């Protein structure tokens, strides 16, 4: 008998999705679908808007990563209009996107992912959540809240609001960070670095405990895509780097993105699946996000994160296809973010009032920009007419670049569990929390 | 006893939840008092568990997002059925948000752009997804176009303080009473009681102990000391006065507005609107622990009536716009042309409109704390309009012509703004019946 399992909705996820697993007559996994259930057609209703308003409209695509949307969008407008922003604005944007990366990664690790590990995958669903983690491990809970608070408050201090920031404008930033605010965050930075180290320790302990899961479950070869600058980890200003399943790295200027990324509309999902165009679908299925970045970089570029990268590679190799290693990779990026935040908080340019060029004129043109958001690259392609009205916009969010990979790894894992009874051969630790 | 709370997300961005989570350490006193029965972003309950519930089982349902898909509509109705009290949570649910701009286009055009003509979608893979997906409605709607809503939390996103304030209020944790006796026991003008003269004075429900004693100077007590544990007998008179208050009277309007903001200690009450006496709905069904309510029931009744007035009176909204909370100074410069946002560098102390920029402050509801303006960005109206279903462009133009030194004719103004809908209806188009 054909069996269909419907999961509605997928929980602890930013966005709206369901999942369908179809088992055929012979007990084999026939199909696995990841059904993204909503889209709001920003690609259409942004047409006709004034281009300078887009960076204040499109952050509403995602409330977790509005800062990357805001910044990637304003960069694309500047690209279309041929604008070069002042150096202080460049640095302030770097600081802003790192603040977001930090807060989001901590939120992901503690609120979305940690309940699976700390309470174990077979815990009662009603207890498997961050509220329970906070109640059972108040010290860790308070630390996690303080970390998210730091990143979000820094984002708000720079961006005006942390959710749906407004600070960027074609030509630069509207205002520098206040010196008083800067001093306040600088005072907390060493404590935050300590928190990050503690978080890394917790994560490493979890990885050791779940080593069987990390190394054996869902190891699925795909292509990867991320942002690097001369091979170094970068969030704001880099080139696209594609990593092939066998670990070859190929760099592309973001303006060439149409040679790199193509999409397939899936019958069963409102998010099309991105793939590496030269390889086609499904061979060229991408994964973006933290593991993609860790596979892409030659180095992280900050001392603690580079140490962490060395440990990672000594255990999982120079290229890792381990789906559960996304969590580990996320920790490495968290370390890089807090180190980068420190670097820019100590840079006087972030409080330098020279944040915007005064002479900005719209012109006809196409602008393409990409930044690395918490869940992968985020690309904007904007067509402006000579009055600065948006004629066309294409937005590639990280979900598009992950949907194919999510389905591929789900299908592989479903086969492991349902067909090969893999759970019998996997060692699971006693849960930390009960 | 804990209160059953559910968070539902329709077509949205998660931002309201992120804003709620931004309360971080302040969540601590709330979490033990709520029993989260649904919150896909955070906990693992599936939709099935809601379907299995008896009607009205959920005490408070927060609904974020606009009605874009068929599932949005279906789930909103399901939650209405299962919840005693529904909060329209954030700009998408309250008035559609930017997603409402989709109503400028036909659904076919939207689908075509995303799945057919999109640059990255390969030729061989162009089609509309139809299998195991929700399906789209022709137009985007706000939540209260589909179901009855009990309370609204404006803003994109609503500020953390407002979300916390509302939850604390519903849990009976806010406002917190200070002293046993009411201000009336301390009042120096007992024989000339302002209430007896027909002036709204809130001393009967306000805590004693303040040193300002406004009544001494003939101005009424506006409740800034918070509630008392026991009310003065005058509370009956105050309630009956409120029930028939003339809210067109400017003094009354201001008193009520200030009282609610100060007394409830909720930053700017306008983002916190409750209709239909909802608290009664919840408390009468005995689901909220009455022991949580630290202050007298008449106080709650009074506040509830006032919130209801606030919600239902358009005139009320006009007294509190973003301009009222803006720190900038008015210069009354002549406005001879409209500057676009990227032009020049606006100075950080003078009114944007006086500097020739468009700022939605004059027609936008207060409540945000003018956060954008503080980082030198013009208000774009995310807290919603002070009036709905009217021509917002002309309303803005009239207001600016009336209150500012506007030297541009209506026609020139329209020519210069280029995209009036995208500017003046950016967040609220789903509420404009001309586009439905």
């Amino acid at each position: 008998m054909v069996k269909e399992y419907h999961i509605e909705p997928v929980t602890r996820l930013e966005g709206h999705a369901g999942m369908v697993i179809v088992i055929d007559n012979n007990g084999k996994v026939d199909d696995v679908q990841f059904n993204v259930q909503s889209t709001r057609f920003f690609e259409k209703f942004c047409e006709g808007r004034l281009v300078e308003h887009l960076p204040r409209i499109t952050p509403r695509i995602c409330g977790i990563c509005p800062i990357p949307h805001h910044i990637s969008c304003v960069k694309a407008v500047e690209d279309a209009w041929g604008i070069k922003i002042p150096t202080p604005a460049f640095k302030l944007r770097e600081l802003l996107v790192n603040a977001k990366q930090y807060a989001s990664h901590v939120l992901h690790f503690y609120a979305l992912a940690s309940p699976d590990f700390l309470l174990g995958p077979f815990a009662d669903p009603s207890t498997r959540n961050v509220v329970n983690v906070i109640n059972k491990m108040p010290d860790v809970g308070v630390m996690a809240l303080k970390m998210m608070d730091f990143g979000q408050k820094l984002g708000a201090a720079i961006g005006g609001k942390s959710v749906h920031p407004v600070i960027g404008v074609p030509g630069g930033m509207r205002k520098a960070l206040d010196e008083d605010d800067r001093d306040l965050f600088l005072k907390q930075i060493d404590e935050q670095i300590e928190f990050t180290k503690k978080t890394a320790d917790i994560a490493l302990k979890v990885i050791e405990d779940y080593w069987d899961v990390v190394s054996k479950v869902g190891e699925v070869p795909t292509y990867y895509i991320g942002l690097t600058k001369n091979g170094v980890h970068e969030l704001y200003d880099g080139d696209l780097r594609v990593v092939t399943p066998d670990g070859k790295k190929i760099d592309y200027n973001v303006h060439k993105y149409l040679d790199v990324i193509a999409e397939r509309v899936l019958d069963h999902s409102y998010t099309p699946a991105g793939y590496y165009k030269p390889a086609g679908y499904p061979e060229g299925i991408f994964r973006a996000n933290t593991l993609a970045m860790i596979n892409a970089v030659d180095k992280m570029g900050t001392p603690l994160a580079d140490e962490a990268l060395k440990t990672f590679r000594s255990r999982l190799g120079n290229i890792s296809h381990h789906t559960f290693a996304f969590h580990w990779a996320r920790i490495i990026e968290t370390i890089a973010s807090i180190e980068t935040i420190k670097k820019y908080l100590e840079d006087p340019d972030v409080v330098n009032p020279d944040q915007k060029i005064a002479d900005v004129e719209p012109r006809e043109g196409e602008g393409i920009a990409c930044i690395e958001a918490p869940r992968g690259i985020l690309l904007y392609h904007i067509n402006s007419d000579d009055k600065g009205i948006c004629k066309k916009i294409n937005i590639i969010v990280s979900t598009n670049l992950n949907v194919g990979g999510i389905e591929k790894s789900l299908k592989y894992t479903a086969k492991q569990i349902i067909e090969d009874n893999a759970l019998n051969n996997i060692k699971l630790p006693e849960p930390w929390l009960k | 006893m804990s209160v059953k709370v559910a968070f539902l997300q329709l077509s949205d961005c998660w931002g309201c939840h992120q804003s709620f989570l931004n309360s971080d350490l302040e969540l601590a006193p709330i979490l033990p008092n709520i029993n989260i029965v649904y919150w896909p972003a955070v906990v693992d309950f599936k939709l099935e568990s809601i379907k299995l519930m008896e009607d009205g089982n959920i005490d408070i349902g927060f609904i974020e997002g606009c009605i874009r898909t068929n599932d949005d509509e279906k789930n909103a109705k399901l939650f209405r059925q299962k919840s005693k009290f529904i909060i329209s949570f954030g700009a998408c649910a309250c008035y559609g948000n930017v997603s409402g701009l989709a109503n400028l286009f036909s659904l076919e055009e939207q689908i075509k752009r995303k799945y057919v003509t999109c640059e990255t979608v390969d030729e061989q893979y162009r089609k509309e997804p139809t299998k195991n997906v929700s399906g789209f409605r022709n137009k985007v709607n706000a939540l209260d176009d589909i179901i009855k809503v009990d309370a609204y939390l404006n803003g994109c996103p609503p500020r953390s303080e407002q979300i916390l304030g509302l939850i604390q209020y519903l849990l009976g944790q806010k406002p917190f009473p200070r002293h046993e006796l009411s201000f009336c026991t301390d009042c120096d003008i007992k024989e000339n009681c302002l209430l007896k003269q027909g002036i709204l004075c809130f001393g009967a429900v306000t805590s004693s102990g303040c040193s300002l004693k406004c009544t001494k100077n003939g101005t009424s007590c506006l409740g800034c000391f918070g509630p008392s544990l026991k009310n003065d007998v005058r509370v009956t008179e105050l309630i009956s006065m409120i029930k028939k208050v003339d809210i067109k009277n400017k003094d009354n309007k201001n008193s009520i507005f200030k009282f609610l903001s100060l007394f409830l200690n909720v930053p700017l009450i306008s983002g916190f609107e409750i209709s239909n006496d909802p608290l009664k709905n919840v408390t009468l069904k005995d689901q909220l622990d009455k022991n949580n309510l630290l202050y007298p029931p008449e106080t709650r009744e009074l506040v509830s009536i006032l919130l209801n007035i606030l919600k239902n009176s358009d005139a009320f909204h006009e007294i509190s716009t973003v301009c009222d909370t803006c720190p900038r100074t008015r210069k009354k410069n002549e406005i001879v042309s409209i500057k676009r946002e990227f032009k020049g560098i606006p100075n950080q102390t003078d009114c944007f409109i006086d500097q020739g920029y468009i700022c939605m402050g004059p027609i936008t509801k207060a409540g945000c704390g003018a956060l954008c303006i503080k980082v030198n960005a013009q208000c774009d109206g995310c807290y919603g309009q002070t009036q709905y279903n009217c021509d917002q462009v002309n309303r803005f133009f009239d207001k600016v012509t009336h209150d500012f030194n506007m030297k541009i004719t209506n026609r020139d103004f329209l020519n210069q703004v280029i995209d009036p809908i995208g500017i003046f209806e950016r967040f609220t188009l789903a509420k404009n019946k001309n586009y439905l």
Side-chain angles (χ1 to χ4, degrees):
Chain A
M1 202 184 73
V2 177
K3 269 197 269 187
E4 273 195 28
Y5 295 96
H6 286 253
I7 294 165
E8 193 192 356
V10 176
T11 44
R12 284 185 278 136
L13 167 88
E14 184 274 306
H16 307 266
M19 215 168 97
V20 178
I21 300 173
V22 185
I23 315 286
D24 71 11
N25 285 324
N26 306 317
K28 302 281 179 203
V29 177
D30 184 43
D31 193 17
V32 173
Q33 297 172 7
F34 183 71
N35 317 99
V36 176
Q37 289 295 355
S38 184
T39 189
R40 286 165 290 154
F41 301 108
F42 278 76
E43 296 86 344
K44 189 67 198 177
F45 68 70
C46 285
E47 287 176 11
R49 310 283 76 79
L50 295 182
V51 168
E52 72 268 24
H53 290 155
L54 297 180
R56 294 188 71 171
I57 293 175
T58 60
R60 270 89 189 178
I61 291 171
C62 176
I64 303 273
C65 54
I67 287 172
H69 275 282
H70 179 63
I71 295 298
S72 190
C73 187
V74 77
K75 250 181 97 179
V77 178
E78 286 159 353
D79 190 45
W81 290 357
I83 296 166
K84 198 175 171 317
I85 62 167
T87 305
F90 180 96
K91 291 179 179 173
L92 192 55
R93 287 181 185 179
E94 285 269 10
L95 179 59
L96 179 59
V97 293
N98 273 284
K100 180 68 252 186
Q101 195 84 350
Y102 181 69
S104 179
H105 278 4
V106 174
L107 175 113
H108 191 131
F109 179 71
Y110 282 110
L112 305 182
S114 84
D116 284 337
F117 299 105
L118 301 179
L119 292 138
F122 301 111
D124 179 348
S126 67
T127 64
R128 202 172 49 204
N129 58 60
V130 67
V131 178
N132 198 21
V133 172
I134 293 174
N135 289 339
K136 296 257 170 69
M137 298 175 84
D139 294 354
V140 173
V142 165
M143 180 174 83
L145 290 170
K146 280 186 175 171
M147 292 170 83
M148 291 183 238
D149 194 46
F150 177 85
Q152 288 294 92
K153 288 229 165 82
L154 179 55
I158 300 169
K161 304 189 290 176
S162 63
V163 180
H164 308 325
V166 297
I167 191 70
V169 63
M173 298 287 255
R174 297 174 197 263
K175 183 179 161 293
L177 178 62
D178 276 338
E179 285 187 35
D180 292 350
D181 283 338
R182 190 265 319 264
D183 296 345
L184 202 77
F185 291 109
L186 262 181
K187 261 191 208 145
Q188 301 169 47
I189 192 75
D190 289 333
E191 183 190 38
Q192 290 294 327
I193 290 175
E194 283 312 305
F195 287 162
T196 306
K197 286 181 184 165
K198 275 188 199 154
T199 301
D201 290 343
I202 293 171
L204 281 178
K205 172 88 173 66
V206 167
I207 288 159
E208 286 308 332
D209 282 0
Y210 283 90
W211 185 249
D212 250 23
V213 174
V214 174
S215 61
K216 290 181 189 163
V217 179
E219 190 192 356
V220 182
T222 59
Y223 283 80
Y224 297 92
I225 186 164
L227 210 67
T228 63
K229 187 165 184 124
N230 304 320
V232 182
H233 186 268
E234 170 65 36
L235 302 181
Y236 174 69
D237 178 44
D239 293 314
L240 296 175
R241 177 172 273 195
V242 172
V243 184
T244 64
D246 53 9
K248 208 172 111 205
K249 295 167 179 171
I250 312 160
D251 288 325
Y252 294 91
N253 183 291
V254 293
H255 290 93
K256 296 276 179 209
Y257 89 100
L258 285 170
D259 297 338
V260 184
I261 301 167
E263 292 177 293
R264 176 186 175 138
V265 180
L266 304 169
D267 239 353
H268 57 264
S269 171
Y270 285 141
T271 298
Y275 58 90
Y276 184 46
K277 197 172 184 180
Y281 188 93
E283 290 73 22
I285 282 176
F286 272 134
R287 286 193 284 185
N289 201 321
T290 57
L291 184 65
M293 283 296 267
I294 295 309
N295 280 332
V297 297
D298 301 331
K299 59 177 185 177
M300 298 299 292
T302 56
L304 293 173
D306 268 320
E307 274 304 306
L309 177 67
K310 225 183 262 169
T311 314
F312 179 95
R313 289 192 170 161
S314 73
R315 295 296 298 275
L316 293 172
N318 282 338
I319 171 129
S320 158
H321 300 299
H322 307 85
T323 303
F324 281 94
F326 273 96
H327 297 304
W328 192 352
R330 186 165 294 112
I331 296 297
I332 302 173
E333 280 205 313
T334 311
I335 300 170
S337 279
I338 198 67
E339 289 182 287
T340 310
I341 289 169
K342 183 173 185 193
K343 176 178 124 187
Y344 284 112
L345 280 176
E346 284 169 347
D347 190 325
D349 265 351
V350 298
V351 294
N352 182 341
D354 178 26
Q355 293 286 338
K356 180 181 177 292
I357 54 168
D359 284 332
V360 175
E361 283 299 331
R363 70 179 197 203
E364 194 180 342
E366 288 190 33
I368 297 171
C370 182
I371 77 164
E372 180 72 24
R375 266 154 286 279
I377 65 160
L378 171 59
L379 191 142
Y380 272 79
H381 180 183
I382 296 174
N383 281 42
S384 164
D385 75 2
D386 58 346
K387 289 199 193 66
I389 299 171
C390 175
K391 290 291 150 200
K392 219 157 66 163
I393 183 167
N394 189 22
I395 307 167
I396 299 185
V397 302
S398 15
T399 310
N400 298 37
L401 294 164
N402 283 310
V403 160
I406 288 171
E407 290 198 337
K408 193 172 177 182
S409 56
L410 276 175
K411 189 164 185 181
Y412 180 84
T413 310
K415 277 175 183 287
Q416 275 189 299
I417 290 171
I418 295 166
E419 296 175 18
D420 308 340
N421 276 320
L423 286 179
N424 295 341
N425 308 317
I426 281 173
K427 213 171 76 207
L428 288 172
E430 273 296 299
W432 292 21
L433 305 176
K434 285 198 180 145
Chain B
M1 187 179 139
S2 63
V3 174
K4 281 189 193 164
V5 180
F7 294 90
L8 174 68
Q9 293 175 269
L10 308 175
S11 291
D12 64 349
C13 81
W14 223 89
C16 302
H17 291 95
Q18 177 70 58
S19 184
F20 177 42
L21 291 174
N22 282 352
S23 321
D24 288 322
L25 295 169
E26 290 173 56
L27 294 170
I30 288 181
L31 291 180
N33 291 302
I34 60 175
N35 173 14
I36 300 169
V37 295
Y38 190 78
W39 193 3
V42 176
V43 300
D44 281 347
F45 296 110
K46 305 294 172 189
L47 211 48
E48 198 55 30
S49 65
I50 299 294
K51 290 180 185 160
L52 293 172
M53 281 178 181
E54 279 171 36
D55 288 359
N57 191 271
I58 300 165
D59 294 312
I60 307 170
F62 283 81
I63 302 185
E64 183 197 273
C66 63
I67 312 283
R68 164 82 271 188
T69 68
N70 296 329
D71 277 3
D72 291 338
E73 183 174 352
K74 211 167 64 191
N75 291 337
K77 286 177 176 164
L78 175 71
F79 269 66
R80 173 70 274 180
Q81 193 187 334
K82 303 294 180 186
S83 310
K84 290 185 190 70
F85 187 63
I86 289 287
I87 296 167
S88 185
F89 186 23
C92 297
C94 290
Y95 33 81
N97 205 333
V98 295
S99 311
L101 291 171
N103 288 354
L104 291 168
F105 303 91
S106 73
L107 181 58
E108 291 68 35
E109 287 175 287
Q110 297 169 51
I111 289 171
K112 192 174 163 201
R113 172 65 191 133
K114 187 162 176 97
Y115 299 118
V116 179
T117 63
C118 173
E119 293 84 337
T120 26
V121 171
D122 196 89
E123 224 170 304
Q124 54 181 320
Y125 301 130
R126 291 172 180 167
K127 61 185 164 190
E128 184 194 345
T130 49
K131 197 176 145 197
N132 290 333
V133 284
S134 162
F136 297 106
R137 301 166 77 258
N138 274 324
K139 293 287 176 183
V140 173
N141 278 113
L143 184 62
D144 65 1
D145 293 328
I146 304 296
I147 60 167
K148 183 181 146 283
V149 160
D150 300 306
Y152 298 81
L153 261 175
N154 294 350
C156 182
R159 290 177 68 182
S160 313
E161 297 91 324
Q162 282 168 333
I163 306 168
L164 268 181
L166 176 61
I167 295 176
Q168 286 175 312
Y169 179 60
L170 291 172
L171 292 175
Q173 294 179 344
K174 201 176 190 177
F176 196 79
R178 278 184 197 230
H179 296 294
E180 174 110 0
L181 297 176
S182 74
F183 175 79
C184 290
T185 57
D186 261 1
C187 182
D188 297 326
I189 55 158
K190 288 194 184 76
E191 57 285 3
N192 296 320
C193 178
L194 293 170
L195 273 182
K196 305 256 186 254
Q197 301 171 41
I199 299 169
L200 280 182
C201 177
F202 296 93
V205 295
T206 303
S207 174
S208 58
C210 91
S211 55
L212 281 175
K213 295 201 183 179
C214 297
T215 51
K216 203 166 49 188
N217 310 319
T219 50
S220 46
C221 168
L222 290 172
C224 64
F225 234 57
S228 52
L229 276 167
K230 283 186 187 153
N231 289 335
D232 189 84
V233 288
R234 290 173 176 84
V235 67
T236 328
E237 211 169 324
L238 178 59
I239 288 176
S240 60
M241 246 173 105
I242 288 291
K243 279 182 176 162
K244 49 182 192 236
V245 70
D246 171 18
I247 51 158
K248 293 213 174 72
N249 177 308
K250 208 176 160 202
D251 290 341
N252 287 344
K253 273 201 310 199
N254 280 320
S255 294
I256 291 172
F257 190 78
K258 283 182 185 153
F259 167 73
L260 285 171
S261 304
L262 294 166
F263 186 82
L264 293 180
N265 189 19
V266 173
L268 289 152
I269 196 68
S270 70
F272 175 75
E273 299 167 345
I274 296 186
S275 64
N276 303 325
D277 239 357
L279 301 164
K280 258 191 194 160
N281 291 348
V282 179
T283 44
L284 278 179
K285 285 173 189 153
D286 267 340
Q287 287 299 318
L288 278 180
D289 189 350
K290 282 181 182 152
N291 295 331
N292 272 347
L293 304 181
L294 299 164
Y295 45 90
E298 303 96 345
T299 307
R300 183 159 273 229
E301 186 187 352
L302 178 78
V303 169
S304 193
I305 300 170
L306 290 174
L307 285 170
N308 212 10
I309 294 174
L310 187 76
K311 160 69 188 139
N312 293 329
S313 163
D314 286 348
F316 235 111
H317 300 154
E318 291 282 342
I319 66 166
S320 171
T321 65
V322 171
C323 291
D324 297 331
T325 64
C326 178
R328 295 187 176 229
T329 29
R330 290 288 306 280
K331 288 284 178 195
K332 297 257 172 191
N333 301 335
E334 285 191 357
I335 304 163
V336 289
S337 70
I338 299 296
K339 278 190 219 147
R340 284 169 68 177
E341 276 188 39
F342 52 78
K343 281 278 181 194
I345 299 166
N347 79 52
Q348 294 179 31
T349 49
D350 300 340
C351 166
F352 278 120
I353 295 176
D354 285 335
Q355 295 186 60
Y357 294 97
I358 288 189
C359 174
M360 297 291 287
I363 60 168
T364 301
K365 249 183 226 180
C368 58
L371 294 176
C372 299
I373 287 157
K374 287 172 188 159
V375 294
N376 215 15
Q378 297 82 354
C379 169
D380 65 350
C382 79
Y383 256 68
Q385 310 278 13
T386 47
Q387 258 181 47
Y388 286 100
N389 249 322
C390 54
D391 181 338
Q392 303 290 359
V393 189
N394 280 320
R395 194 163 77 91
F396 178 87
F397 183 80
D398 291 348
K399 220 163 159 50
V400 171
T401 307
H402 186 263
D403 297 347
F404 294 77
N405 200 353
M406 182 77 165
K407 298 290 178 200
I408 312 174
T409 64
N410 194 313
R411 223 176 87 192
D412 284 351
F413 177 77
L414 282 176
N415 282 335
Q416 288 182 37
V417 297
I418 305 174
D419 175 28
I421 299 288
I423 297 171
F424 298 98
E425 295 264 34
R426 185 179 297 170
F427 294 92
T428 52
L429 196 70
K431 273 278 157 205
N432 187 328
K433 294 199 165 53
N434 293 327
Y435 292 89
L436 281 178

